[in-house]
Amino acid sequence: MPLPHRARAAAMTALLVAGCLAASLPASAEPDLVPAAPSCIQPGPLLRYLVVFPQFTPAETADSEITEACGLTTVYYPQISVAVATSPDPGFLGRIGPQRAYSAQAESIAKRSVKRKKDDTELFRPSGVRSAEQWDMDLINAPAAHEITTGSKSVVVGVLDSGVDARHPDLAGALAPELSAGCLTGKPDTSPSAWAPTTSPHGTHVAGTIAAADDGRGTTGVAPGVRIASVKVVDDEGFIYPEYAVCGFMWAAAQQMTITNNSYFIDPYLFTCQSEPGQRVVYEAVRRAVDYATSSNVLTVAAAGNAAADLSRPGRDSMSPTNGEAQTRPVDSTCVVLPAQLKNVVGVSAVDSTKTKAGYSSYGLGAIDVTAPGGDSRSPNGCVLSTVPSGYDYSCGTSMATPHAAGVAALIASVHPEKDAVSLGRMLNAQAETLACPADYDLNRTGVQDAFCTGYSEYNSFYGHGLVDALAAVTK
C-alpha cells in the first residue's frame, strides 16, 4: 500500500514495535486443560503477540492463560476475545499454541530482516496551492455537493493511518483530539504524541482529502464539514501490524465513529492466507475486529492496494513478507488483502483523471465495491493534491482514492443520520456513477492488454459499482 515502508534501521530493540498474534482456540478447549507452565526464562528480546481466544472468554481466564504461558497481557478486548501480550520467553508461542497466536516481530527476527517496507506512493511538490488544482474533487462533483452541504459535525471519520497533523491550518478545525489515539502497542494511547505524525506525511494527506477546510485557502476536502480523528496504526518503520489495526477498529467502535478510512494493507503479508497457521490467526483477529466495528455502526472503507493484482484470482504473491526477504509464493482464493476483502468492508480501486483504472491499482470481481480518484503520474492531471505536515503535496495510489470514498460516505451519513453502517455502505454503492469496462486497456501501447476487466457495466472488476459521486450522495 502507499505507506512508507522503510528499512529497519536498528538493532534488535527496534523490532519491539512489531509483532502480533491471532488465532482461534477450539471451542472445546477449557482453561483448566492448559498445563501449568514451567519456570519462565527471560533471554529476550521482548516480543509482542496477538492472541485469539474462544468467543466470550472472560478477561480473567485470558489473562491467566497468558500469565501461565510466561506472558504479560497488554490489553484484552472482551468483545472479540482477542488479547495483545508480550513475552521475553521463547517458549511463549509453544505454550499458548501456534494455532492461537502469531508474532510478526518474531518472524522478522527469525528472517534477520534488514529490509524496509517499500513506499509505493508517488510524491511531487506542487508549484502552487489552490483548490482549482484539485481535479479529483471536480471528477466526483464535490464542489457542486458543497453548495448543498459540506457535511455534519456529528459525523466522525477515523483516519487509521500514520497520524494527522493537528496544527495544519486546513485540518485544525476538523480534527477531534479527544477522539484520537495511538495504537502502536495494541492498546489505545490518547496522549497527543501517540497519534501525531512522526516519519510519514501519509495520514495527513489522507485526512486532507476527507475534510480539509473549505475556506478559500489551501485545499478543500470531500466533506469539509465533518470531523476527523487521528488513529495511528503505522509505526515509524512504515508497518501496519495486525495488533495495531485491531486496536484501531476497536477504538473507533468505542468512540462511536461513523466511518474509518483504511489506506493500507496489514503487514507482513500482502495476501493473508487462511490456510497458513499464523496467517489464519491474523485473519481471525482482524475479521472479528471489523465485524465488531460494523455491529457498532462503524463503516469500514479500505484501499484495494497498489500491486496491480486481480484480487479474485491472485495466483502469486511476490511481495511478502514485507518485513523480511520477499519470496514468490502461490496464493489461492483463501488468501485475501486485509482489511479490503473482508465482508462489510467497502473495497476501493483507483482511477486517473480520465476515469480509467490506474495501472497500479489492484482490482477484482467481488473485491472492488467502488472506485475513486487516486491519480496517475502518466495521466493528464497527474496525482492528487492534499495536505501534508509541511504544507501540501501530490501523491498517487489507492490510498488517495480511499479517502474520496470515505468522504462521500461521510456526506451520505450527514444527510441520512438514521442509517446504520451496512445501509450506509449500500448507499455508497448505489450513488456511484456507472463505469463500464474499457474497450482497450493497453496503457503502455504495446499491443498487449495490461489487465482484463470482467463483469458488466453496472458492476465489474475494475470499478465495482462505479465512481463515487458527492453530488449524488447528497441529492439522491
Side-chain angles (χ1 to χ4, degrees):
M1 271 324 318
L3 287 174
H5 284 330
R6 304 184 172 83
R8 296 225 75 85
M12 208 66 81
T13 52
L15 295 167
L16 299 183
V17 294
C20 52
L21 36 97
S24 30
L25 184 69
S28 61
E30 297 293 338
D32 60 354
L33 297 181
V34 177
S39 298
C40 300
I41 57 176
Q42 299 189 18
L46 186 70
L47 300 178
R48 182 179 295 124
Y49 299 85
L50 193 62
V51 185
V52 175
F53 294 88
Q55 291 279 21
F56 313 116
T57 297
E60 296 79 6
T61 302
D63 184 63
S64 176
E65 291 192 30
I66 289 171
T67 300
E68 289 180 10
C70 300
L72 180 66
T73 303
T74 301
V75 64
Y76 181 64
Y77 297 106
Q79 305 93 331
I80 60 172
S81 299
V82 172
V84 178
T86 58
S87 178
D89 193 316
F92 178 81
L93 183 61
R95 296 186 189 108
I96 284 289
Q99 300 296 328
R100 301 176 54 193
Y102 171 76
S103 174
Q105 180 181 3
E107 192 169 273
S108 175
I109 292 174
K111 291 178 171 58
R112 306 197 183 282
S113 167
V114 292
K115 179 184 177 183
R116 295 174 191 248
K117 192 172 175 186
K118 178 178 176 289
D119 181 0
D120 50 8
T121 54
E122 303 175 46
L123 278 169
F124 301 89
R125 190 68 60 177
S127 57
V129 176
R130 44 185 166 56
S131 295
E133 295 178 46
Q134 294 185 274
W135 60 267
D136 53 311
M137 296 298 165
D138 293 332
L139 200 70
I140 64 169
N141 297 314
H146 296 164
E147 296 295 322
I148 300 170
T149 181
T150 57
S152 168
K153 289 294 182 186
S154 65
V155 173
V156 178
V157 181
V159 181
L160 274 60
D161 214 292
S162 62
V164 177
D165 183 8
R167 298 170 298 178
H168 199 291
D170 283 3
L171 299 174
L175 185 63
E178 72 280 7
L179 301 178
S180 300
C183 278
L184 300 188
T185 65
K187 179 180 180 179
D189 180 351
T190 58
S191 60
S193 61
W195 51 261
T198 48
T199 61
S200 169
H202 192 273
T204 303
H205 196 283
V206 165
T209 298
I210 297 169
D214 185 11
D215 58 5
R217 300 176 296 174
T219 59
T220 301
V222 178
V226 307
R227 290 186 296 161
I228 54 175
S230 175
V231 184
K232 191 170 183 177
V233 298
V234 184
D235 66 28
D236 285 352
E237 302 296 326
F239 293 104
I240 307 94
Y241 285 127
E243 69 269 29
Y244 307 167
V246 167
C247 168
F249 292 127
M250 298 304 290
W251 176 255
Q255 302 308 309
Q256 300 181 322
M257 296 182 194
T258 315
I259 299 156
T260 61
N261 186 95
N262 303 270
S263 290
Y264 59 84
F265 69 83
I266 291 176
D267 293 297
Y269 291 94
L270 172 59
F271 290 96
T272 299
C273 296
Q274 299 169 60
S275 60
E276 297 293 327
Q279 293 170 58
R280 181 163 61 245
V281 170
V282 172
Y283 176 88
E284 178 64 13
V286 175
R287 181 196 66 78
R288 288 188 192 182
V290 169
D291 285 353
Y292 180 75
T294 303
S295 71
S296 301
N297 282 328
V298 182
L299 177 66
T300 304
V301 183
N306 299 342
D310 184 345
L311 303 183
S312 63
R313 297 177 294 179
R316 305 184 78 77
D317 174 11
S318 59
M319 294 176 60
S320 304
T322 55
N323 63 353
E325 292 305 316
Q327 303 290 327
T328 299
R329 60 174 182 149
V331 290
D332 58 26
S333 59
T334 69
C335 303
V336 296
V337 172
L338 295 177
Q341 286 186 266
L342 290 173
K343 182 182 178 182
N344 294 323
V345 175
V346 176
V348 186
S349 65
V351 294
D352 63 18
S353 59
T354 68
K355 299 184 181 180
T356 302
K357 185 186 84 69
Y360 57 78
S361 178
S362 290
Y363 58 102
L365 195 62
I368 303 303
D369 293 289
V370 293
T371 195
D376 194 319
S377 58
R378 298 175 297 183
S379 70
N381 290 303
C383 296
V384 173
L385 178 65
S386 188
T387 51
V388 294
S390 58
Y392 305 88
D393 251 325
Y394 289 101
S395 189
C396 286
T398 55
S399 275
M400 285 64 250
T402 305
H404 287 88
V408 171
L411 290 178
I412 297 173
S414 297
V415 297
H416 296 284
E418 76 285 356
K419 297 299 182 182
D420 61 17
V422 174
S423 299
L424 186 59
R426 290 172 180 162
M427 294 178 75
L428 181 62
N429 293 338
Q431 58 71 47
E433 174 194 348
T434 297
L435 294 181
C437 286
D440 181 22
Y441 195 70
D442 177 13
L443 301 179
N444 299 320
R445 301 292 183 262
T446 62
V448 178
Q449 296 296 295
D450 294 298
F452 295 94
C453 182
T454 57
Y456 50 98
S457 295
E458 290 76 17
Y459 182 72
N460 57 62
S461 62
F462 275 17
Y463 312 118
H465 295 277
L467 178 68
V468 296
D469 187 329
L471 181 58
V474 299
T475 57
K476 292 186 179 179

